[in-house]
Amino acid sequence: METPVTFTEPTFPRWDLKGHAVHVWQVNLREFADHEDQFRATLSLDEQKRAARFRFKGGSTDFIVARGTLRFLLSEYLGGDPSQIHLCYNAYGKPALSNSLEILPLRFNASHSDGLALFAFARHCRVGVDIERVRADVAVQEIAERFFAPAEVAALRKLSAHLRTVAFFACWTRKEAFVKARGLGLSLPLDQFVVSMAPGQKSALLSAADDLQAARHWTLCDLHPASGYLAALAVEDTDCDLKCWRYGCDTWQSASQGRG
């Protein structure tokens, strides 16, 4: 059985993305809640308006900290002020750097669920990441039959009830990570590609209707951000050098002092 990749405390150097390097940072958003105002100050006007539309304080705080953390992490890789980083979005909503003039532009993706966030970075390839809190109250079979590929639905049906929920969320995070890496949003239906999902089966893209060679040049990797969560990373590379680290208050404050 494939062992999910775990997250460790960062070691130096942390901001080197040469070659086939891929970095994923895990952030406990609630750990930064007391610094919400500092993160809000780095956001664009559009991001601040989006934060104000949340009905509940917790959702607004998570959004502000997640967006602010993304900006601080981007500033570490790029240098400069987090508030001066300008983001643009493709037709399907995937963010990118709007002012990148680098030969190998920094590529990134983010996901958060119930207080935990993941941020993936690479220069040589597209990346996508997804994290989900595993919930027992989700109607996994009904959702799978509506959105998953027939082969995935059939695989889920074969599992005993106590395995089905975890298998569903493992499949969901792998599929979402791939969709996000492709940057095609809902225009890439979840039933148009197949990922592995059986217990003990290695995480993998098995087929994609719109790209018959996709399985040969995409890698899916399961991540273990915390107990009760499942996550996956999609990388357009079959030989990436993956590093997974935690980004806590100590790391953030140390980096902030260094910039000051």
Side-chain angles (χ1 to χ4, degrees):
M1 181 175 180
E2 182 183 29
T3 302
V5 178
T6 57
F7 292 77
T8 62
E9 296 303 318
T11 55
F12 291 92
R14 295 194 304 265
W15 314 111
D16 187 355
L17 278 170
K18 293 181 180 179
H20 291 256
V22 176
H23 294 173
V24 182
W25 293 88
Q26 177 238 60
V27 178
N28 183 337
L29 301 177
R30 310 292 160 76
E31 182 182 345
F32 292 91
D34 290 342
H35 303 282
E36 179 179 345
D37 288 344
Q38 291 170 265
F39 286 105
R40 182 187 288 107
T42 69
L43 303 188
S44 67
L45 181 59
D46 176 66
E47 289 170 327
Q48 293 182 33
K49 289 180 178 179
R50 288 178 61 184
R53 288 197 290 268
F54 281 86
R55 294 180 59 189
F56 302 104
K57 173 66 175 174
S60 174
T61 297
D62 281 357
F63 175 83
I64 290 168
V65 174
R67 276 305 176 115
T69 303
L70 172 61
R71 287 176 167 276
F72 274 100
L73 287 167
L74 286 169
S75 73
E76 292 293 349
Y77 287 104
L78 299 169
D81 186 335
S83 65
Q84 297 304 308
I85 290 172
H86 300 289
L87 303 178
C88 60
Y89 302 85
N90 72 5
Y92 306 101
K94 184 176 182 179
L97 292 165
S98 63
N99 54 349
S100 178
L101 300 176
E102 301 156 303
I103 296 175
L104 287 176
L106 182 63
R107 302 167 186 257
F108 62 92
N109 196 236
S111 177
H112 65 90
S113 175
D114 199 14
L116 274 188
L118 297 179
F119 302 90
F121 301 89
R123 287 196 180 275
H124 70 290
C125 65
R126 291 179 287 178
V127 291
V129 68
D130 188 62
I131 180 173
E132 301 291 341
R133 181 72 179 261
V134 178
R135 294 168 45 201
D137 61 343
V138 174
V140 297
Q141 193 65 48
E142 290 84 349
I143 295 174
E145 289 177 1
R146 181 178 177 185
F147 294 106
F148 287 3
E152 295 163 340
V153 175
L156 194 65
R157 286 200 191 104
K158 293 178 181 178
L159 298 178
S160 57
H162 75 284
L163 294 175
R164 202 168 292 159
T165 296
V166 172
F168 168 84
F169 279 100
C171 183
W172 184 272
T173 56
R174 293 167 188 173
K175 293 175 82 68
E176 283 292 312
F178 180 65
V179 168
K180 294 175 71 177
R182 293 281 302 273
L184 297 177
L186 296 176
S187 71
L188 180 60
L190 295 180
D191 62 357
Q192 294 301 298
F193 63 95
V194 181
V195 301
S196 59
M197 66 179 299
Q201 188 177 11
K202 182 179 179 181
S203 176
L205 174 68
L206 303 180
S207 64
D210 70 332
D211 183 355
L212 299 181
Q213 302 301 315
R216 296 185 179 183
H217 52 83
W218 282 91
T219 296
L220 294 184
C221 177
D222 290 335
L223 308 176
H224 181 64
S227 177
Y229 292 81
L230 288 177
L233 172 74
V235 182
E236 193 179 21
D237 184 8
T238 57
D239 188 31
C240 65
D241 178 18
L242 176 61
K243 298 289 190 301
C244 294
W245 292 307
R246 300 188 191 97
Y247 189 78
C249 270
D250 289 345
T251 304
W252 171 68
Q253 289 173 336
S254 175
S256 298
Q257 291 169 1
R259 279 190 300 271

